[in-house]
Amino acid sequence: MADTTAPTLTLPDNLTREASGPAGAVVTFSATASDAVAGPVPVSCTPSSGSTFAIGTTTVTCTASDTAGNVASGSFTVTITPPGSPPVEAPQHRLFVPVIVR
């Protein structure tokens, strides 16, 4: 039986951090992936966890592939605010399901 299903990618919600200096802030995060056949598979994110993020909003793109070549990808944002600025609430991921009542 051929594996035709991409791994399941688990990413953090959008992140907001305060800059620790003029260059921005070092941000760490965790991204994981699991495949139904291969089990846990490596995840590659750009920029990577532990990178220095500049003030502003940066999109982090992550990918994972299994041994059959199936690829999963996703993204989230990292927002760095200037030192001393009020906190910014990042929007949460929401799923809205329409309900029709007859």
Side-chain angles (χ1 to χ4, degrees):
M1 181 162 117
D3 178 6
T4 58
T5 304
T8 300
L9 193 58
T10 303
L11 302 177
D13 289 332
N14 295 331
L15 304 173
T16 300
R17 302 288 184 267
E18 183 176 315
S20 55
V26 173
V27 177
T28 59
F29 54 84
S30 176
T32 60
S34 181
D35 183 66
V37 175
V41 293
V43 178
S44 175
C45 295
T46 304
S48 60
S49 178
S51 294
T52 298
F53 288 78
I55 293 172
T57 301
T58 302
T59 299
V60 178
T61 302
C62 302
T63 59
S65 60
D66 62 19
T67 54
N70 301 305
V71 178
S73 64
S75 63
F76 62 95
T77 60
V78 174
T79 300
I80 305 299
T81 59
S85 63
V88 175
E89 290 294 323
Q92 298 296 314
H93 300 288
R94 297 217 184 340
L95 174 64
F96 294 96
V97 179
V99 176
I100 300 172
V101 179
R102 295 179 190 225

